Amino acid sequence: YNKSTINANYFFFLVLTLIALPRLLGLGSFLLFLAAALARPFLPSAYAFLAGKHLGFPIWSPTNSTLTWENGAKAVFFSAEDPERLRGPQAYSAWTDELCAWRNAQETWDMMMFGLRLGRKPQVFVTTTPKTTKLLRGIIADDKTLISTGSTFDNAANLAGTFLDAVKKTYEGTRLGRQELYAEVLDEAS
């Protein structure tokens, strides 16, 4: 895709939906499989938002834990609390949230990876606070991993000034602040 054609409104909506919805529904840590609907099994339909194409408003199915768009693109939500539920589903990509907070991180990751078997290049997107875990260190060490980081302050325009002042005053220069505010992956001795 051409990055200049990304429709920011759809992308923002998708990100907001994928991050906010599981939390609103009380799913806690979650992972998500993006898969095209059976009637449209082509990868481009699952990523139409990247080309600025109309997706329509998704329909939430609480019974199936899915969001389905008019073009057949489907997002399926799974809780990271139950790795066994990942046996069987297959997808083109997965988006994980707060990977480092998963209780059964390695087992859940392994089951998810077995399900990433559709398309030419299945991919995983990880959004997490970078706590020092064996799983995260392994992902970072993989030569196929691309890393993008951002600090809390990169998002300052969307956060309350009082919050920013408070966390900076309390955590600036601390180990926890380096991890939580500046997205540093700290080694055990740091």
Side-chain angles (χ1 to χ4, degrees):
Y1 66 92
N2 179 338
K3 288 183 181 179
S4 66
T5 64
I6 293 176
N7 183 320
N9 291 332
Y10 281 123
F11 185 72
F12 176 75
F13 173 74
L14 184 65
V15 170
L16 180 62
T17 301
L18 298 182
I19 292 174
L21 187 61
R23 290 184 179 142
L24 290 172
L25 297 173
L27 294 178
S29 297
F30 80 100
L31 63 95
L32 151 78
F33 273 3
L34 293 175
L38 295 175
R40 297 175 189 245
F42 301 105
L43 184 59
S45 69
Y47 295 101
F49 71 92
L50 292 175
K53 295 180 181 172
H54 176 71
L55 291 176
F57 192 80
I59 297 171
W60 170 249
S61 171
T63 305
N64 300 321
S65 297
T66 60
L67 281 174
T68 305
W69 282 264
E70 289 175 15
N71 71 344
K74 186 179 287 191
V76 182
F77 293 81
F78 294 89
S79 170
E81 302 296 316
D82 187 6
E84 292 299 310
R85 298 245 327 147
L86 290 167
R87 291 186 178 275
Q90 55 186 4
Y92 294 106
S93 61
W95 188 337
T96 69
D97 185 48
E98 293 300 347
L99 173 76
C100 295
W102 293 1
R103 285 194 191 120
N104 305 307
Q106 188 65 58
E107 186 180 359
T108 303
W109 180 266
D110 292 343
M111 290 298 101
M112 178 186 69
M113 295 306 288
F114 282 121
L116 287 175
R117 54 184 177 242
L118 298 178
R120 291 188 309 249
K121 190 178 176 185
Q123 296 180 4
V124 178
F125 305 92
V126 177
T127 52
T128 192
T129 301
K131 293 180 184 176
T132 301
T133 66
K134 182 178 178 182
L135 176 58
L136 184 63
R137 290 208 173 273
I139 293 167
I140 291 171
D142 188 324
D143 62 349
K144 292 180 230 128
T145 298
L146 300 175
I147 300 171
S148 173
T149 62
S151 79
T152 297
F153 305 104
D154 292 338
N155 191 31
N158 300 304
L159 300 173
T162 53
F163 166 78
L164 292 170
D165 292 342
V167 295
K168 192 167 189 172
K169 179 181 176 185
T170 306
Y171 300 106
E172 186 73 36
T174 68
R175 179 179 170 84
L176 184 60
R178 289 171 54 205
Q179 175 183 285
E180 298 291 327
L181 302 177
Y182 294 99
E184 287 185 39
V185 179
L186 304 172
D187 61 25
E188 302 297 333
S190 293

